[in-house]
Structure formats: C-alpha cells, structure tokens
C-alpha cells in the first residue's frame, strides 16, 4: 500500500515585485502537477527517487546520492524536510520511500518546490491515515520552502494547497477569488535560470536610487492589480489582456525583464494573444500569454520558433489531493 498526493504549479497573473512593497498580487494554480508517492520502510532511512535526474538517501544528517551527485542534496533536501516535518506532526518515526514525478520545470518561477513540499506533506499524512487540513498543509510545508527561498511569503504553498485564484497582500495573507471563466494560457519557458532573491535586490537598489520615479510605478501597479481583480471577476478577458501588457511594461521599467522575455511577449501578441507578460521574478524564467482558445496552438508555435518551450495550461480550481493506492 502507498499514499499518493498531487499538487498544482502556479503562475503570477499580476503584481509580482510590487507585492514586495505592499501592493496586491494575483496568483493562479495551473494544470501542471507535482506528484509524490510515499511508503513506509522498516529502518530510519528516507529514500527519495525523482524524475528530475536526482535520487538519494538520507540517514540522519548524512546524504548518499544515487543519481545527480552531490547537487542532488540541494534538490532533495526540501522534500526530506517536508516529510520529516509531517512525520513529527504525526508523532511517527518511520523511514520512508518517496517517489517524485513532477511535470513542473525547476527554478522557472512556476512554484515547483512549493508544489513538491505540499504534495509530500499531504502524502505522508495520508499514508498514516490523516487528512491534514489545508491550513496544516500550508504550515507544515513552510520549513521546506524556507530552505529553498530564504524568506518566502508563503504564497506558493497557499496556491498549491488551495488551487484556484488567490489575491495576496503582504501582512494581510490570502483572499481566494471566484472566476467562472476559463483562463487559457500559454506559458513560455525561456530556460534561463535566475535567482528571485537577486532580482528583488536589484529592484530595491533602483528604488533607492530613484524613489520619486519608482514609487509612483509601484502605486500604479497596485491600481492595475486592483483593476485586474475586478476585470477577472467580471470575466472580461480582453480587458485583462490589456492590463497584462501594461503590467509587463511596468516590470520592464523596474528592470526585471530581458531580451528573451520581451521577444516572447511580442511574438505571442503578434500570434493573437489577448495580452502577455513575464511571470514571477523575471530575468529569465517564464512569461505567460492569455490566449483565445482557438489561438493556443499558433501562440505556442510562435514561442517555440522564438526559442522557448511553450506549455499550454489552464486554471485549476482544485489544489492538493491525496489518495491511497493498494
Ligand atoms: O519567480 P517567483 O515565483 O519566485 O516569483 C517571485 C515573486 C516576487 O514578487 C518577485 C518576489 C516575492 O517574494 O513576492
């Protein structure tokens, strides 16, 4: 018998970076999943196998890689932390065999580590007969996210756990919003790895140098996200697309876009997207294009021709789920 849990990836629809300065951001769960299966074993070893090119065993503080060399430690350690945090909560001392199958690209701003932590916690709970509440899953997966991101806001675990669309504001937490319309998106992955922390720092430096110029942009982004929330609720995707384009311009102005992202945004719009913007920290990673259903293939092809990896995706309303497989 084993327990399996799956949790969705996320994209930021509006407000990244500006959220650091107190403005709201909109985050959405997408149909791209991390799946984790868990089984006990009769020693104290936590063995993690993954389709990410890394696997290995943790015995106490010692890590022994099977695949991926010592680099495997950095990727697998958050999974170990998430599983042991869940075991501690359950007051269980078992070893575990954990198998990861993830469709979410790593270090691309799509919340891969958050989804993996959430699915791990839920699967460990399920294996020992406990359905953790959503709140508990968010809290128990926090430590793993701190290992990966240093000081995360917690938004990635929240969206992977709850699904749907969430508005996030610093110090106010999350507000789920109901959006009836489908939100068909093409994600364009540049394949360029970047560090969220470095980009957040670069924005701070720019703001310190030009406060009278950057502060009004932050305020404008806040107005934009507030308008975007209303527009999403009303289902006006054409207007939402226009707001995405302005949002990309603001992100460009604060210096977090790059040539590849700008190019993908332009080719997507030329191919019929209603709007496009970088998503997440920028400087590489991914962009998103809002696509009329009939234009999805054309936009995906345009991004591919420009050198990116397109991922056709949509909003999912369900967050983490877990089940037992006999
Ligand atoms: O690329 P991601 O998903 O790590 O996006 C980070 C979002 C920022 O607003 C740039 C930073 C933050 O902590 O909110």
């Amino acid at each position: 018998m084993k327990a399996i849990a799956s949790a969705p990836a996320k994209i930021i629809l509006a407000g990244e970076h500006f959220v650091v300065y107190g403005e709201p951001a909109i985050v959405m769960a997408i149909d791209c999943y991390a799946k984790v299966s868990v089984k006990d074993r009769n020693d104290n070893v936590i063995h993690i196998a993954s389709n990410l090119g890394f696997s290995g065993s943790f015995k106490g503080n010692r890590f022994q890689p099977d695949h991926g060399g010592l680099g495997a430690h950095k990727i697998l350690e958050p999974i170990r932390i998430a599983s042991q945090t869940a075991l501690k909560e359950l007051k269980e001392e078992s070893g575990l065999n954990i198998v990861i199958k993830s469709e979410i690209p790593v270090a691309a701003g799509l919340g891969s580590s958050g989804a993996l932590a959430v699915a791990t916690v839920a699967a460990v709970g399920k294996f020992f007969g406990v359905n953790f509440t959503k709140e508990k899953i968010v809290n128990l997966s926090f430590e793993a996210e701190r290992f990966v991101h240093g000081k995360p806001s917690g938004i990635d675990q929240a969206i992977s756990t709850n699904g749907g669309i969430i508005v996030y504001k610093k110090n106010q937490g999350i507000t789920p919003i109901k959006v009836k319309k489908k939100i068909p998106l093409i994600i364009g992955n540049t394949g360029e790895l970047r560090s969220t922390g470095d980009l957040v720092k670069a924005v701070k430096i720019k703001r310190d140098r030009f406060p009278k110029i950057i502060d009004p942009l932050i305020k404008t982004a806040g107005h934009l996200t507030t308008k975007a929330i209303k527009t999403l609720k009303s289902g006006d995707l054409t207007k939402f697309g226009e707001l995405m384009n302005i949002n990309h311009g603001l992100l460009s102005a604060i210096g977090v876009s790059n040539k590849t992202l700008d190019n993908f945004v332009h080719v997507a719009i030329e191919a019929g997207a209603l709007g496009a913007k970088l998503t997440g920290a920028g400087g590489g990673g991914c962009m998103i294009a809002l696509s009329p259903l009939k234009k999805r293939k054309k936009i995906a092809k345009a991004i591919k021709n420009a050198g990116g990896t397109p991922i056709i995706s949509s909003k999912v309303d369900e967050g983490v789920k877990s089940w037992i497989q006999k």
Side-chain angles (χ1 to χ4, degrees), residues 10 12 15-20 108-111 149 151 153 156 194 196 200 279-282:
K10 69 101 192 10
I12 300 181
E16 54 272 89
H17 283 290
F18 306 107
V19 70
V20 173
L110 300 181
H149 296 298
K151 265 195 189 169
S153 57
D156 283 12
R194 80 287 178 281
T196 297
V200 170
T279 187

Side-chain angles (χ1 to χ4, degrees), residues 24-250:
I26 313 173
V27 194
M28 178 172 102
I30 53 168
D31 55 350
C32 178
Y33 295 91
K35 213 190 223 185
V36 175
S37 86
V38 167
K39 210 170 156 26
D40 62 348
R41 48 187 284 160
N42 47 17
D43 56 17
N44 285 329
V45 172
I46 295 196
H47 183 266
I48 307 173
S50 78
N51 66 339
L52 306 170
F54 305 99
S55 65
S57 300
F58 293 88
K59 191 171 185 183
N61 285 333
R62 271 197 16 251
F63 176 68
Q64 180 69 42
D66 304 336
H67 292 291
L70 287 176
H73 181 260
K74 199 171 158 215
I75 304 290
L76 303 180
E77 173 70 1
I79 313 294
R80 181 198 68 78
I81 296 173
S83 64
Q84 286 197 318
T85 312
L87 284 174
K88 200 166 157 205
E89 175 72 18
L90 296 161
K91 301 192 174 56
E92 293 283 350
E93 283 189 357
S94 174
L96 297 171
N97 277 329
I98 299 177
V99 180
I100 291 165
K101 283 193 185 130
S102 181
E103 306 164 352
I104 312 172
V106 174
L110 300 181
S112 153
S113 60
L116 280 169
V118 160
T120 302
V121 166
V124 173
K126 190 77 181 177
F127 185 85
F128 291 99
V130 175
N131 287 316
F132 287 131
T133 62
K134 287 184 172 167
E135 200 186 349
K136 193 60 118 194
I137 294 174
V138 171
N139 289 337
L140 293 176
S141 48
F142 220 110
E143 206 178 319
E145 278 291 87
R146 266 196 287 269
F147 174 83
V148 181
H149 296 298
K151 265 195 189 169
S153 57
I155 189 69
D156 283 12
Q157 303 103 280
I159 193 69
S160 277
T161 302
N162 289 286
I165 299 185
I166 275 170
V167 175
Y168 179 75
K169 204 166 177 195
K170 223 173 164 178
N171 304 326
Q172 284 183 21
I174 61 162
T175 314
I177 56 170
K178 282 259 167 292
V179 179
K180 290 208 182 84
K181 276 245 166 102
K182 276 204 159 147
I183 310 204
L185 289 173
I186 314 295
I187 297 169
N189 189 356
T190 63
E192 296 165 5
L193 306 181
R194 80 287 178 281
S195 147
T196 297
D198 289 351
L199 285 145
V200 170
K201 260 185 237 148
V203 173
K204 184 184 178 304
I205 291 168
K206 203 168 285 278
R207 184 185 181 226
D208 290 345
R209 289 185 68 206
F210 304 110
K212 284 198 175 146
I213 298 168
I214 302 296
D215 281 349
L217 294 180
I218 295 172
K219 280 275 157 284
T220 300
H223 294 311
L224 184 147
T225 302
T226 306
K227 184 85 183 162
I229 296 165
K230 285 192 190 134
T231 309
L232 271 181
K233 283 183 180 164
S234 76
D236 186 343
L237 294 187
T238 305
K239 197 187 252 181
F240 188 78
E242 274 184 78
L243 292 169
M244 285 171 76
N245 293 340
I246 303 172
N247 197 164
H248 184 75
L250 292 173

